[in-house]
Amino acid sequence: MSNQQSGIAGATRHVLPNGMVALIQRNPSTPTVSVRGELRVGAVGEPTEQSGLAVFTGAALIRGAGERSFQMIVEETEERGCSVSAGGGLHSSGFGGKALVEDLPLVLEILADMLIRPTFPAQEVERLRGQFLMGLRESEQETGTQASRAARALLYPPEHPYSRISSGTLATVQAITREDLARFHARYHPAGGAVAIVGDVEPAAVIAELEARLGSWAPAATPPDSTPPAAPPALEGISRKDIPMPGKVQSDVIWAVHGLRRADPDYYPVMLANMVLGQLGMGGRLGENVRERQGMAYYCYSGLEADIGAGPWSAVAGVSPENVERAIAAILHEVERFVADGPTEQELADARAFLTGSLVLGLETNDGIAGTLLGIERHGLGLDYIDRYPTIINAVSHAQIVAAARRYLSTERYVLAVAGPTAT
Amino acid sequence: MSAPTEAHTLPNGMLVLTREVHSAPVATSWIWYRVGSRNEPSGQTGISHWVEHMLFKGTPSIPKGDFDRLIARNGGTFNGFTWVDYTAYYETLPADRIELGLKIEADRMINTIFEPAEVDSERTVIISELDGYANYPETWLDEAVKASAFTAHPYHHPVIGYKSDLLAMTRDELYAYYQTFYMPNNAVLVLVGDFRTDALLKQVEALFAELPRGPALPQLRAVEPEPQGERRVTIRRPGPAEYLQIAYLAPDCRSPDFAPMAVLDAVLSGAKALSFMGGGTQTNRSARIYKALVESELAASAWSSFTPSRDPFLLELSATVREDKAAAVVEAALIGEITRIQQDGVDAHELAKVLKQVRAQVAYSGESVTNQAMQLGMWEVLDSYRRVDTLLDELSAVSAEDVRRVAQQYLTERRRVVGHFIPTGEEGEL
């Protein structure tokens, strides 16, 4: 039997001369290879009036790079059953690929062109804009997207990057020019970035290949600023927004408060609290109440966005319009109960057992291993993190969870967003 | 690279498929039942899916709520799903805990309670699931296209069922349906992962061999008659865009024409990933439909789909019409791609590309024991698990002429349904 846990600890970590970190893990059990990487430039660095710029730029990289057109890139990769991709996120711009192992050199060659030498052909930019605008028009009519936009706008002041959805709006995406994309791309920098490669590869050979493809990339831009966004002003009281949407049948409800940074000392207690409140089994206590006990919703769960900055800690439910107030009452009831008493002994034991026991499931595929390596690097956790993880989780006490939950959860200061048909 | 699959039949008729994979300390347990929405009588649509929901609601020995906690406690994940041809459940666990999956499935195959209060509570959960889908305009179009494509065959109705049926369903109807279809001789257990087959089979026998075999199962007799002309359906509701969905009645997975149709679908929009759980690569952007519809800026997105089915199902073409374009032009362009293949066929390069894509998708899917078991189980309930290993050869044997022939034979005007979604204004016709 293999032991993937020590596999992560045994991954090769190599820093390229330009500051980019390469993480390579050999997985001889598959004929495939996965590449996943990120640069520390994202939507947090874009001006409010250009919301969507990071996402647009990331998606445009494949539309022409080096000597290749978009059609050449997709033709060459798809005829081998491999893929390359890139996309902008909130704090990073990600890139990746998947291939049979013999096609890794092609994937790395094209990815390097996409990162370093994108050409942003005018016609391709317009095609992409058309697709983005259609996607935005579709998501504008989704109850979940509308509720999420509203909740973010209530949680964060308008100048805060977390107040927006990183895909932008119809108006901002319409106004972004080809030159804007090129200017945003000029901020891409290898320093602080990382690339993880997992599959049946020889680490030394892959590092040599990366040195050749990416090692000499030394952009003029200053390395990205990784200061987390300022903490938003504390919530005062309850704010609520209702968005009526014609033609909808069901409402999406979002309850939210400010969460915390991944680097916060409260992270592990809060993560365990979230697990019990709205994750474990079929949506934790929230799912148990709203779905299992009251039969009100197909989904009800909570989510925690703890990344470089403090994202929302939220609970969501999809319910019929006449059940909106009942669902909100149920969510508040569970929050109040959790803040008062924290998890039961059994719930805490279950959450610990799940988090530690399921580690091996996340490390089964090349994608899973590469994603884990990238997360470890992003948050500076060290390659022994997986081996240390059970100790970390088992050391979190009931008292720490209750104390942390009380610092963040509240039934007096929160935001609510409801999007759907008007109640009948 | 794929390890051999072993088949074992228990005395009560239950088939057990096992495949040892030792690349990660993980194992998966799937159970498949040969029942889906195709087995549902009129007035009881959605009953297969509802029964699936009830299997998470408890048995005397594993009460409601304990089931998901038990799996979480053991570091596992689980789910269940219902499709037109089958219902399946799985637990993926650290390899040394795989017996838990077996215990759960053996127990709930026979002992699920169907507590009346739980039935009523689940009624509103399922209606909420249905309402959530109804928030998307594509759902309304898809339902109308399927309903138009099938007149005699129960592929006519949506898997989740009609709301009127869900409101009227009784506990006794659900329980009778469960007792009819949930029995060892209608089940396939699929185990893939890091275990020793001999030892695991002993556990399987201890848990499943004593379960009583049920009576012979009712067989579906309905046959969709040959369509006699194009059918068109238009949906008008609030929505962000016009959508097109074109469906052709297509051969089932046991037909000799299945492989040429699968190649045809891949020529149109790439060889798809072999799992709905992700893990494959995108292959459509260098294929015919993307070039003709998306690169040409007629559609914001466009694709074809063709899935293996027990009875003749559909090859479908779909597109999201760009705001400044006419749906009629987009429809003509989609159908034009079919006509082009009917007239000129496909070239050798496209066939080679499809094969390489399928090989790659098989390799990606093989990284996960969960995906491997899903393929084995799905093929066994549709035809035979051996198809997982022969599929590449079947596709390799397809000639360009075969592809052209099936396009000419099946993708004709009289065998097609054209569905069109037209967004209405703010007035919101409900």
Side-chain angles (χ1 to χ4, degrees):
Chain A
M1 265 185 221
S2 65
N3 186 340
Q4 297 285 352
Q5 275 170 261
S6 64
I8 289 276
T12 303
R13 184 178 183 277
H14 174 83
V15 185
L16 300 181
N18 56 19
M20 185 184 259
V21 173
L23 299 150
I24 320 295
Q25 185 169 324
R26 178 150 190 269
N27 176 10
S29 66
T30 76
T32 56
V33 60
S34 288
V35 179
R36 284 181 68 172
E38 61 184 24
L39 305 175
R40 303 249 54 88
V41 178
V44 291
E46 68 195 17
T48 311
E49 65 278 12
Q50 291 200 314
S51 177
L53 181 56
V55 167
F56 201 157
T57 306
L61 301 182
I62 196 174
R63 297 288 168 147
E67 302 298 314
R68 290 180 176 89
S69 67
F70 172 58
Q71 261 312 316
M72 288 162 77
I73 291 174
V74 293
E75 183 66 49
E76 253 185 281
T77 51
E78 291 183 1
E79 76 178 358
R80 290 169 174 79
C82 62
S83 69
V84 290
S85 63
L90 195 53
H91 284 281
S92 61
S93 291
F95 57 93
K98 222 170 154 62
L100 294 175
V101 75
E102 66 267 23
D103 296 320
L104 178 62
L106 176 73
V107 164
L108 293 181
E109 179 191 324
I110 296 175
L111 281 176
D113 277 345
M114 286 165 58
L115 291 176
I116 305 172
R117 292 169 288 274
T119 52
F120 304 112
Q123 195 187 0
E124 291 295 342
V125 170
E126 292 317 308
R127 278 186 184 138
L128 190 56
R129 187 195 313 280
Q131 291 169 34
F132 267 118
L133 291 174
M134 179 63 81
L136 282 166
R137 264 181 229 112
E138 290 183 306
S139 66
E140 292 295 330
Q141 294 204 16
E142 288 168 14
T143 49
T145 308
Q146 284 290 354
S148 172
R149 270 194 201 283
R152 286 176 173 277
L154 293 172
L155 282 170
Y156 300 93
E159 65 278 8
H160 196 285
Y162 290 2
S163 67
R164 307 180 286 274
I165 287 184
S166 45
S167 52
T169 68
L170 287 169
T172 59
V173 169
Q174 190 69 66
I176 288 168
T177 66
R178 184 193 168 275
E179 287 65 38
D180 293 330
L181 301 179
R183 261 196 300 278
F184 192 80
H185 169 259
R187 293 164 59 178
Y188 278 23
H189 200 288
V195 55
I197 299 182
V198 181
D200 192 8
V201 295
E202 285 301 332
V206 174
I207 285 168
E209 182 88 18
L210 286 172
E211 289 274 4
R213 297 282 173 208
L214 293 169
S216 58
W217 181 25
T222 47
D225 175 14
S226 56
T227 318
L235 297 175
E236 288 176 24
I238 300 161
S239 24
R240 170 167 176 163
K241 174 128 193 228
D242 287 86
I243 303 128
M245 297 180 68
K248 297 303 167 188
V249 185
Q250 180 158 271
S251 302
D252 264 295
V253 175
I254 301 184
W255 171 96
V257 292
H258 296 132
L260 76 179
R261 298 169 52 205
R262 175 67 176 77
D264 195 292
D266 279 340
Y267 173 71
Y268 292 102
V270 165
M271 191 263 282
L272 277 156
N274 180 55
M275 191 103 239
V276 172
L277 179 66
Q279 292 274 319
L280 205 61
M282 297 208 247
R285 288 186 181 181
L286 292 171
E288 178 61 31
N289 183 328
V290 174
R291 173 174 167 149
E292 296 304 308
R293 216 155 49 234
Q294 300 204 57
M296 269 195 290
Y298 178 55
Y299 57 88
C300 182
Y301 57 89
S302 65
L304 180 66
E305 288 174 42
D307 196 350
I308 305 294
W313 188 358
S314 55
V316 307
V319 296
S320 71
E322 63 271 18
N323 282 334
V324 163
E325 303 309 320
R326 249 176 81 204
I328 292 169
I331 291 170
L332 288 170
H333 173 75
E334 292 305 334
V335 169
E336 185 170 36
R337 202 162 70 89
F338 193 87
V339 166
D341 303 325
T344 64
E345 211 170 298
Q346 184 67 62
E347 284 172 330
L348 180 53
D350 285 354
R352 284 178 179 148
F354 174 71
L355 289 167
T356 54
S358 63
L359 275 178
V360 292
L361 269 56
L363 298 173
E364 184 191 11
T365 63
N366 290 338
D367 278 348
I369 298 167
T372 303
L373 285 167
L374 209 54
I376 284 173
E377 188 61 33
R378 181 188 312 144
H379 299 296
L381 303 170
L383 289 175
D384 61 348
Y385 178 65
I386 299 298
D387 295 338
R388 290 189 293 116
Y389 188 76
T391 313
I392 296 171
I393 294 302
N394 291 325
V396 179
S397 71
H398 183 271
Q400 285 173 312
I401 293 171
V402 173
R406 286 177 185 165
R407 273 196 283 280
Y408 298 92
L409 297 176
S410 167
T411 52
E412 281 148 18
R413 288 173 298 281
Y414 59 84
V415 307
L416 273 175
V418 182
T422 42
T424 47
Chain B
M1 67 143 258
S2 105
T5 305
E6 291 181 31
H8 324 263
T9 304
L10 303 185
N12 58 17
M14 191 173 95
L15 182 67
V16 184
L17 301 174
T18 59
R19 180 190 277 180
E20 289 187 25
V21 176
H22 299 288
S23 48
V26 174
T28 190
S29 159
W30 283 71
I31 194 148
W32 293 73
Y33 294 96
R34 301 171 196 274
V35 61
S37 61
R38 77 190 270 281
N39 301 96
E40 296 169 351
S42 174
Q44 290 190 351
T45 65
I47 193 169
S48 308
H49 172 252
W50 194 336
V51 166
E52 178 225 308
H53 274 234
M54 295 313 296
L55 261 76
F56 294 86
K57 305 296 264 184
T59 67
S61 54
I62 308 178
K64 174 198 174 191
D66 279 17
F67 157 81
D68 47 309
R69 297 283 161 154
L70 209 51
I71 295 172
R73 199 172 293 160
N74 285 281
T77 58
F78 65 92
N79 214 336
F81 62 88
T82 308
W83 179 232
V84 293
D85 293 325
Y86 43 76
T87 307
Y89 306 80
Y90 74 87
E91 297 82 32
T92 299
L93 288 147
D96 58 354
R97 308 295 173 91
I98 192 61
E99 194 181 4
L100 176 63
L102 304 179
K103 280 183 177 153
I104 287 170
E105 297 309 347
D107 182 32
R108 66 180 174 178
M109 183 191 296
I110 301 295
N111 299 319
T112 302
I113 302 170
F114 289 76
E115 177 73 39
E118 293 296 341
V119 169
D120 277 334
S121 167
E122 210 56 20
R123 185 188 316 276
T124 45
V125 168
I126 292 169
I127 289 173
S128 170
E129 185 179 356
L130 175 124
D131 285 346
Y133 300 146
N135 269 0
Y136 293 88
E138 298 95 319
T139 303
W140 296 79
L141 180 60
D142 184 61
E143 192 174 309
V145 167
K146 302 287 196 296
S148 306
F150 296 100
T151 57
H153 193 283
Y155 286 160
H156 172 91
H157 68 260
V159 172
I160 195 162
Y162 295 120
K163 196 182 266 191
S164 52
D165 289 347
L166 298 175
L167 287 166
M169 198 86 70
T170 68
R171 183 266 173 195
D172 289 349
E173 287 166 349
L174 288 159
Y175 195 63
Y177 196 80
Y178 167 67
Q179 289 195 305
T180 305
F181 290 102
Y182 283 65
M183 54 181 59
N185 44 311
N186 195 40
V188 182
L189 180 69
V190 188
L191 304 165
V192 178
D194 189 15
F195 51 74
R196 297 291 164 205
T197 304
D198 295 356
L200 193 63
L201 274 179
K202 287 198 177 70
Q203 295 175 327
V204 169
E205 277 164 16
L207 289 160
F208 288 91
E210 299 303 314
L211 302 181
R213 173 197 279 271
L217 288 133
Q219 294 301 308
L220 176 67
R221 285 200 298 253
V223 176
E224 187 59 29
E226 182 64 23
Q228 298 301 311
E230 184 187 65
R231 299 166 195 164
R232 300 187 72 89
V233 56
T234 304
I235 297 293
R236 293 175 193 272
R237 282 187 56 81
E242 288 186 73
Y243 299 94
L244 278 167
Q245 184 172 339
I246 302 174
Y248 296 89
L249 196 59
D252 66 77
C253 76
R254 290 174 294 179
S255 158
D257 289 337
F258 171 80
M261 282 300 273
V263 171
L264 171 60
D265 169 55
V267 165
L268 288 170
S269 63
K272 318 297 185 293
L274 290 176
S275 163
F276 53 81
M277 290 183 285
T281 58
Q282 194 178 348
T283 52
N284 67 311
R285 292 165 300 183
S286 63
R288 290 181 179 228
I289 285 184
Y290 189 95
K291 285 189 197 165
L293 275 293
V294 181
E295 292 271 287
S296 67
E297 301 183 39
L298 290 172
S301 60
W303 65 97
S304 67
S305 63
F306 177 61
T307 47
S309 58
R310 180 82 189 170
D311 302 318
F313 197 54
L314 303 169
L315 182 134
E316 295 185 89
L317 312 173
S318 300
T320 307
V321 180
R322 276 187 59 152
E323 200 181 35
D324 52 345
K325 296 298 191 301
V329 176
V330 177
E331 179 187 331
L334 276 174
I335 292 172
E337 288 309 302
I338 302 297
T339 311
R340 209 151 67 84
I341 292 176
Q342 288 165 337
Q343 287 173 354
D344 308 331
V346 297
D347 63 51
H349 173 73
E350 285 176 298
L351 293 183
K353 177 169 147 183
V354 165
L355 283 179
K356 171 85 193 229
Q357 287 176 349
V358 174
R359 256 183 218 114
Q361 300 286 25
V362 167
Y364 302 134
S365 151
E367 288 180 35
S368 145
V369 293
T370 311
N371 282 342
Q372 289 191 43
M374 193 192 80
Q375 288 294 311
L376 287 169
M378 182 195 78
W379 277 108
E380 176 57 30
V381 297
L382 292 178
D383 181 15
S384 158
Y385 71 90
R386 293 188 181 84
R387 293 287 292 277
V388 171
D389 296 323
T390 59
L391 203 56
L392 259 172
D393 292 338
E394 292 174 37
L395 298 174
S396 307
V398 172
S399 70
E401 187 44 40
D402 292 332
V403 176
R404 183 156 91 154
R405 177 182 55 77
V406 295
Q408 289 171 344
Q409 184 178 339
Y410 295 99
L411 309 185
T412 60
E413 182 182 352
R414 62 193 292 136
R415 295 173 62 86
R416 109 183 142 214
V417 176
V418 178
H420 183 192
F421 180 95
I422 302 176
T424 54
E426 289 294 300
E427 67 273 20
E429 298 161 29
L430 271 172

